[in-house]
Amino acid sequence: MYTRLIMVRRYTTSTMTKSYPSRLKHLVKTPLYEALDNQYKSGKLQIAQGADWNAKTTTSYFPELLTETLNSTRSLPMTKFPRQEILKQVELDPKVGRWRKFITGWFRIGLYLLKMYKSGIQDTFKVYWSTRHVKREFDIKNGSLAKLVREIEMSEVNIKLSSSSLSKKADVKVASIPFSINRKQLVELIRRDQIWKLPVFFSLVFIFEEMSALIFTFFPRVCPYNCLTPGGYKKLSNVYIKETTGINDNRGLGPLKFTKQGNIKYEPPYAIPIENVYSFLKCFPQSMTSGWKLYIYKKLKLQKLLCDELEKIYQYFLIDDWLLLQGILKTEGGTAKVVLSDKELVNCVLERKLYHKDEDLNKMVNDTSGQNILLKRLFLYWSLRYDDTISFNGEHTFSEKWGVDNISLLKYNIELVITKDI
Amino acid sequence: MQRFVSRLVSAPRIPNKFLDCFPRKRTVNKILFQLDTRLTYNEMYPIFVQVSQLTDKDSISWKKKYPYLRSSDIMQMRNVLVTLRMQNKFVHKDVLAMENKLLNVAAELGNNDAISILSFNVVQAQENDTNKDNDQNDVETANRFIKELYDRNHHLTIKLIGDTFLKNKAYKKAEKYYKEFLKLENNTKLAGEVYGNLGEIQIKQVNGFLKAEKSWLKCIELLELERSSRWYFLLAKLYSSSEPLRAKPLLESCASIGFKECFKTLGFLELNYFQNYERAKEWFKLGMEITDLECFLGFFDCSLKLKDIGSAKNCLKSLKTFENDDNKKVIIDAFLESRKDSMELLQRK
């Protein structure tokens, strides 16, 4: 727990230059971290705010389309609510009399909210509609995530077989591997289930109109994900982190766990106690199974079913991370830029729980130093998991490093590589 | 009564050599039922006896002696022996010789499968240069037979052509013939073997793992476990990282017939993924019996997790016996280095 907290230092603008704790020092020096940092510093990786890349969904992998295929902003909530801007606009509007400026300001805020809800509902429908073909091909609830993980694994094996005679890669390089799904499609497949929140949401908006925002601030789970306001989002993020991280637990890093000695080990889903699995699943932003089902599983002590769900999330993390890293590092050496949406950055940090309770992720992402901190957390997390893997800069496949057969006992000794057998 | 006595007196004596190697009636009947043969045990038995005593010089008119006999029956009799060999995982030289004799008899009776197998044996023997006595004429005749059978769309010949290409690492050609075979026959045991081999070709292709998975699934559906254990294992390997829960029963099936490679994989699966140390220890124990080094390493870890210091110490002692082998010594040293803390703990206790 302590180490995880170190990794996700509390956000204060002045601590940027603080030295990293010794346990994470080696991560900062890893080639993968350096490559990611260079990408960001050289401007090849940019974080854009308020941009809309929802023009189209495409499966092609050309660099100029990378940002389109990486981001799905329409399925994510806003990071900044323009309350001050609206009030300022009303203040400067000569047509609005001084006596009614206050009421008009708040009325316009309410109107803005309604418009946001409208576009949120439309986007939720669009996400659901546009992913229906992809869903037929990739049924993520029934083993498609595992197939995608296998695809990554096999592509790593292929790289390994083709480069077996070569020495260790000095630089971080990403092989051009066509993948059967792009990131936008993947995350939208996960997020498309938000449509089932619409009936309740729509009824509440219809009844309470502008006042519904107040209800959604107190009950953010009722709201579709892309209709959340930053206030509701913060409340939700606090709930997530509070319920998943106990005193001695460390499930914020997905399948990784710090031991008492400070080593990092893989924590398989089938080895976690049922209570912890349940709370983890309940607090996953876009859970693939409804809450009542999870509750029944827990009550009937159907641990296997709960673990299966957890395994799907682990698989999703792996695919998502891999696609993001492929997208970001593909531009290395070239002139192309990758633009990651601020919404996606916040969501990545939230999903992987790389934050602290009471931290306002939306506020952080709208501030340059806060954005740097979020990115660095993500870079550290990626370095921890993917440094020295064959997809980026190492000699070992991901499953050798973290997988079942990773007999991490021999420090990834090549003699015991499972891929030899296939 | 008189007829019975005269039959007993006139019946030829069965040689002890045959009785020693030939399986019991019950076992054979079981296999006959599995193979769904046309002839019964009583009809086959005298033929088995006669074939076992057959020499190269003998020429028997099988059709006259056994009017009910067909060439396919002889092949089925051979299949009985092959199945028995697979099940027992034991090769008896006399039984193997009997298999070959049956093959020759079937070929004499004009069975295409037998002709095909014999032809390929001749061609392969020439390729391997193991049998220099092979006449060039024999090879030419074999080639002619193969060509003729292929022209007639003989199923086994097509499969054997695929096998030959696979052996010579001509994967594209092998795939072509296997697919050709599957167009003709796709729900037999032979097709099961073809699916298995095809999967092995497909896994080597870029993004061919989905096809390979399908092929292997089909293979294990068609073939019995004894003949498809290799593909059970490969399928389990494919699943082991992404879906260990699916890999586990496949590996357990392999373990049930003593597929030695699966003990360590199962052990590590239980140890690292399901964290069921007791079960992992049992798998490693089985692996240790066949002196698999990795099983010793896994067993040591399990013992420590279960705080079974005695077993850990014994395991460590056993590990030292491997140190004569240089390759294994490197692994053992690396292992002991990575378990420094545990070693200190052991020494203290």
Side-chain angles (χ1 to χ4, degrees):
Chain A
M1 179 66 182
Y2 168 72
T3 333
R4 190 188 70 80
L5 291 182
I6 293 167
M7 192 164 159
V8 292
R9 282 176 300 125
R10 189 179 286 279
Y11 167 63
T12 44
T13 45
S14 59
T15 55
M16 266 304 294
T17 49
K18 266 187 182 175
S19 61
Y20 287 95
S22 58
R23 279 172 192 166
L24 296 176
K25 254 182 188 170
H26 75 281
L27 287 178
V28 184
K29 287 174 188 166
T30 53
L32 185 61
Y33 183 89
E34 282 172 7
L36 288 164
D37 205 34
N38 284 342
Q39 289 288 89
Y40 182 56
K41 281 179 183 160
S42 63
K44 283 176 191 165
L45 168 65
Q46 292 177 353
I47 304 298
Q49 289 167 341
D52 183 27
W53 293 283
N54 296 324
K56 55 185 171 179
T57 305
T58 168
T59 50
S60 70
Y61 224 78
F62 296 115
E64 58 270 26
L65 295 171
L66 268 179
T67 45
E68 268 182 28
T69 54
L70 272 186
N71 300 283
S72 167
T73 47
R74 63 181 175 180
S75 53
L76 290 173
M78 60 164 71
T79 57
K80 194 178 179 184
F81 189 76
R83 195 179 64 190
Q84 292 303 326
E85 283 84 347
I86 294 170
L87 289 176
K88 203 173 178 184
Q89 208 180 22
V90 174
E91 194 67 37
L92 297 173
D93 193 350
K95 287 177 192 169
V96 182
R98 182 154 294 279
W99 63 275
R100 62 185 181 100
K101 276 198 191 294
F102 178 77
I103 298 166
T104 314
W106 281 100
F107 179 73
R108 285 194 187 172
I109 286 171
L111 219 58
Y112 179 86
L113 269 173
L114 282 182
K115 275 185 189 168
M116 186 197 85
Y117 289 152
K118 189 188 151 196
S119 62
I121 291 169
Q122 282 174 343
D123 283 340
T124 309
F125 268 117
K126 277 181 198 167
V127 168
Y128 188 80
W129 189 250
S130 61
T131 49
R132 67 194 192 286
H133 298 300
V134 191
K135 194 188 174 276
R136 259 174 241 150
E137 201 181 338
F138 301 97
D139 190 357
I140 51 159
K141 287 177 188 170
N142 291 314
S144 278
L145 285 174
K147 275 182 190 163
L148 290 170
V149 170
R150 273 205 285 283
E151 190 172 342
I152 293 174
E153 198 188 345
M154 293 315 291
S155 71
E156 285 187 329
V157 171
N158 284 334
I159 297 171
K160 189 163 191 159
L161 291 174
S162 59
S163 63
S164 56
S165 56
L166 301 174
S167 57
K168 192 184 176 181
K169 281 192 264 182
D171 305 322
V172 176
K173 274 182 187 166
V174 179
S176 183
I177 307 159
F179 200 64
S180 47
I181 195 167
N182 64 44
R183 186 177 178 270
K184 185 179 177 179
Q185 288 171 330
L186 175 79
V187 292
E188 287 193 346
L189 273 177
I190 303 278
R191 295 169 193 165
R192 79 193 296 269
D193 277 357
Q194 294 293 314
I195 199 164
W196 305 117
K197 285 186 179 175
L198 282 185
V200 176
F201 175 74
F202 190 75
S203 320
L204 287 173
V205 173
F206 188 73
I207 297 164
F208 296 102
E209 296 187 345
E210 288 92 335
M211 290 302 288
S212 50
L214 209 64
I215 297 166
F216 299 139
T217 310
F218 288 110
F219 305 101
R221 285 189 203 235
V222 183
C223 202
Y225 204 53
N226 58 358
C227 294
L228 277 172
T229 55
Y233 197 84
K234 190 188 170 191
K235 198 171 162 56
L236 212 57
S237 64
N238 277 343
V239 173
Y240 288 158
I241 200 78
K242 194 180 153 192
E243 288 189 15
T244 40
T245 49
I247 297 162
N248 298 313
D249 281 316
N250 182 314
R251 270 157 284 116
L253 293 171
L256 308 183
K257 186 181 184 180
F258 286 101
T259 60
K260 281 177 191 167
Q261 291 80 30
N263 300 321
I264 301 152
K265 70 166 196 171
Y266 177 79
E267 196 177 36
Y270 292 88
I272 303 173
I274 190 164
E275 281 295 330
N276 297 356
V277 179
Y278 174 71
S279 58
F280 184 92
L281 287 170
K282 220 178 81 185
C283 295
F284 187 68
Q286 280 112 10
S287 181
M288 284 172 258
T289 318
S290 52
W292 62 269
K293 264 191 194 171
L294 295 176
Y295 184 74
I296 291 172
Y297 292 164
K298 190 191 122 188
K299 280 287 158 195
L300 297 177
K301 300 211 164 134
L302 301 170
Q303 184 156 14
K304 189 187 154 288
L305 294 173
L306 281 174
C307 293
D308 283 348
E309 295 304 321
L310 185 61
E311 195 177 10
K312 277 182 207 161
I313 292 175
Y314 283 9
Q315 286 166 345
Y316 161 69
F317 279 150
L318 169 63
I319 304 161
D320 192 34
D321 287 341
W322 193 80
L323 286 171
L324 275 167
L325 283 171
Q326 288 276 324
I328 293 168
L329 294 169
K330 197 154 252 192
T331 57
E332 216 196 24
T335 51
K337 287 173 185 170
V338 167
V339 185
L340 193 68
S341 149
D342 56 342
K343 295 179 181 181
E344 288 289 359
L345 176 61
V346 169
N347 192 58
C348 282
V349 172
L350 182 88
E351 280 181 343
R352 288 153 185 81
K353 300 203 170 61
L354 304 173
Y355 63 98
H356 210 60
K357 192 172 172 262
D358 290 333
E359 269 182 346
D360 190 343
L361 297 176
N362 288 317
K363 195 178 164 192
M364 284 172 82
V365 85
N366 283 302
D367 175 81
T368 321
S369 51
Q371 202 180 85
N372 283 342
I373 289 179
L374 290 184
L375 263 178
K376 287 210 165 172
R377 285 176 189 176
L378 209 55
F379 290 171
L380 281 171
Y381 169 76
W382 282 335
S383 311
L384 191 69
R385 289 199 86 191
Y386 303 98
D387 185 61
D388 200 25
T389 56
I390 200 154
S391 291
F392 305 105
N393 65 320
E395 291 176 320
H396 315 290
T397 65
F398 181 79
S399 53
E400 283 159 23
K401 191 174 175 185
W402 294 111
V404 174
D405 258 327
N406 114 46
I407 328 176
S408 57
L409 42 102
L410 289 187
K411 296 178 183 168
Y412 329 128
N413 197 317
I414 196 75
E415 279 82 5
L416 300 174
V417 168
I418 57 151
T419 45
K420 264 183 181 176
D421 297 333
I422 290 188
Chain B
M1 184 65 192
Q2 195 184 356
R3 273 172 64 194
F4 177 72
V5 171
S6 67
R7 214 176 136 197
L8 269 179
V9 172
S10 63
R13 222 171 140 250
I14 298 162
N16 284 338
K17 203 177 166 189
F18 176 82
L19 289 173
D20 287 345
C21 70
F22 198 73
R24 286 184 307 159
K25 183 178 177 181
R26 201 172 161 187
T27 318
V28 177
N29 267 338
K30 218 172 172 182
I31 297 168
L32 293 183
F33 180 74
Q34 278 173 15
L35 296 175
D36 193 19
T37 54
R38 197 178 67 89
L39 300 186
T40 59
Y41 177 82
N42 287 338
E43 285 167 325
M44 279 183 182
Y45 190 74
I47 307 172
F48 272 124
V49 176
Q50 192 153 13
V51 168
S52 72
Q53 292 168 319
L54 206 65
T55 57
D56 291 346
K57 288 166 192 170
D58 292 343
S59 63
I60 298 165
S61 177
W62 296 96
K63 284 275 178 192
K64 269 187 191 172
K65 202 164 185 183
Y66 305 99
Y68 54 87
L69 192 67
R70 293 184 199 159
S71 63
S72 59
D73 296 329
I74 301 281
M75 283 308 279
Q76 278 188 335
M77 286 165 65
R78 180 180 173 264
N79 283 347
V80 171
L81 299 183
V82 172
T83 311
L84 199 75
R85 175 158 52 89
M86 295 281 232
Q87 281 180 1
N88 294 347
K89 293 183 186 62
F90 174 72
V91 184
H92 193 291
K93 64 173 185 176
D94 291 336
V95 179
L96 197 67
M98 208 193 304
E99 273 178 39
N100 291 334
K101 282 174 189 171
L102 283 167
L103 197 66
N104 285 328
V105 172
E108 274 172 34
L109 292 173
N111 185 280
N112 283 344
D113 286 354
I115 295 169
S116 181
I117 294 169
L118 283 173
S119 304
F120 275 96
N121 285 348
V122 171
V123 173
Q124 271 170 14
Q126 198 223 9
E127 274 177 15
N128 299 338
D129 211 15
T130 51
N131 191 355
K132 286 182 181 172
D133 300 337
N134 263 340
D135 198 350
Q136 191 60 32
N137 284 340
D138 283 354
V139 179
E140 277 172 20
T141 316
N143 279 331
R144 189 164 50 80
F145 279 140
I146 291 169
K147 201 165 176 285
E148 274 178 26
L149 288 168
Y150 177 70
D151 289 341
R152 284 190 204 176
N153 267 348
H154 182 245
H155 299 190
L156 184 65
T157 308
I158 298 172
K159 191 226 166 215
L160 290 174
I161 295 173
D163 287 349
T164 312
F165 279 122
L166 182 66
K167 206 176 168 190
N168 295 325
K169 294 184 181 175
Y171 299 122
K172 277 193 176 173
K173 283 183 182 173
E175 191 183 5
K176 186 194 146 205
Y177 284 101
Y178 283 146
K179 283 184 175 168
E180 203 174 307
F181 174 88
L182 291 173
K183 273 183 199 164
L184 301 167
E185 186 179 317
N186 62 4
N187 57 358
T188 57
K189 287 187 178 172
L190 207 56
E193 273 180 31
V194 171
Y195 274 120
N197 288 337
L198 191 63
E200 283 186 50
I201 296 169
Q202 284 163 337
I203 196 84
K204 290 188 176 86
Q205 296 165 351
V206 179
N207 276 344
F209 70 97
L210 280 176
K211 287 183 198 166
E213 184 193 352
K214 268 186 196 169
S215 299
W216 285 334
L217 283 172
K218 192 84 183 153
C219 161
I220 62 172
E221 186 191 320
L222 293 170
L223 272 181
E224 64 265 35
L225 179 61
E226 287 82 9
R227 283 170 76 182
S228 59
S229 52
R230 177 184 166 79
W231 298 301
Y232 264 89
F233 181 69
L234 287 175
L235 193 60
K237 277 281 181 190
L238 188 65
Y239 289 146
S240 67
S241 295
S242 52
E243 286 176 283
L245 209 61
R246 282 178 87 178
K248 197 176 142 184
L250 292 170
L251 287 168
E252 281 171 350
S253 303
C254 286
S256 71
I257 57 155
F259 194 87
K260 65 173 187 175
E261 282 82 358
C262 68
F263 296 129
K264 69 166 184 208
T265 317
L266 259 172
F268 283 118
L269 199 68
E270 293 286 1
L271 171 69
N272 291 337
Y273 200 79
F274 297 103
Q275 299 195 345
N276 188 341
Y277 304 126
E278 284 286 355
R279 202 174 289 174
K281 204 174 162 188
E282 289 304 315
W283 288 123
F284 286 132
K285 228 184 238 175
L286 286 172
M288 282 161 74
E289 280 173 23
I290 49 166
T291 57
D292 187 338
L293 174 63
E294 286 172 56
C295 287
F296 280 86
L297 309 185
F299 185 85
F300 179 78
D301 272 357
C302 280
S303 303
L304 285 182
K305 297 260 185 201
L306 294 166
K307 294 181 180 160
D308 185 356
I309 306 296
S311 299
K313 278 183 178 171
N314 287 339
C315 180
L316 214 59
K317 267 183 207 164
S318 311
L319 265 180
K320 303 255 157 111
T321 56
F322 285 101
E323 286 184 345
N324 299 330
D325 186 337
D326 287 346
N327 293 333
K328 286 179 180 170
K329 194 175 184 304
V330 175
I331 298 174
I332 293 167
D333 288 345
F335 174 76
L336 295 180
E337 181 64 30
S338 66
R339 293 289 176 278
K340 243 180 190 173
D341 298 342
S342 315
M343 304 297 294
E344 281 170 17
L345 194 85
L346 272 183
Q347 277 167 0
R348 258 183 268 145
K349 292 191 176 178

